[in-house]
Amino acid sequence: MPTELSVGLTEPARQQGIGVVAPFDFALDRELWRWAPEDVSLYLTRLPFFTTPVTVEMAVACGDRRAVRRATRDVLTPEPGVVAYACTSGSFVEGATGEEVLRRTIEDAGAPVATTTSGALIDALRVLGIARLAIATPYVEPVTRRLVAYLAEHGVRTVSSEGLGLLGNIWRVSYAEVVEIVSAADRDDADALFISCTNLPTYDLIEPLEQALGKPVLTANQVTMWAALRAMGREAVGGGSLLSAHDHLAQEQLAPEHRTSEHLTPGVV
């Protein structure tokens, strides 16, 4: 008779998941994972490849509704709690209406909740009470102008902007180059600074930059993961003013099953 096995194993914690729809050239999967708690998995998929450089035309192509719908369905099998569209330019290039259409497209494809990088940025600015923003981007000027226009639609004034003028290979930008462009973009009258593009590495820079500048620093991957996790009633792993801010907006946006007393505004039951 076979010997009964007893190896003393403990079942792993039940995983929650985030579906991530990213552009075909996205190269910073590891950076997204760094924001996630150990019991949250990321289910990543890519939008279709095309040869257009990083221009307004490419940003528009990344928001193609048919491609986004198909990519959303690709990540639904493991039942994520939220699907995040992880592309800044693709979610601001068509303005506030375009961002809303993206979210609706993802939800119509079956996602329980949808977030986008640019939508997450607006939510983060509201949580922090930011009305005047400096922005640092890797983009060419026409793409950066679309970001400025998107922010204006939401009542956020861009007091300064600096772009690297890159048409590709954005993930190869060094931390030193990011610091340089942030320094060039910062202004005394900016309430905060935003570093755009999910393909730009920023995870280790946020706290040092906040200490140096004396103001909140937001980044594309930071707000993307912050928004996706809070939609699930979870918190991102990392530093920065955003993660330590008391989120009064969360109670309105969380699904009822995720709401807890810590998310409620004081005095509200």
Side-chain angles (χ1 to χ4, degrees), residues 21 45 67-78 106 108-110:
V21 175
T45 191
V68 170
R69 187 181 300 111
R70 184 167 56 250
T72 300
R73 289 172 178 164
D74 287 344
V75 297
L76 290 181
T77 298
I106 293 168
D108 288 348

Side-chain angles (χ1 to χ4, degrees), residues 76-87:
L76 290 181
T77 298
E79 300 180 351
V82 57
V83 174
Y85 177 86
C87 178

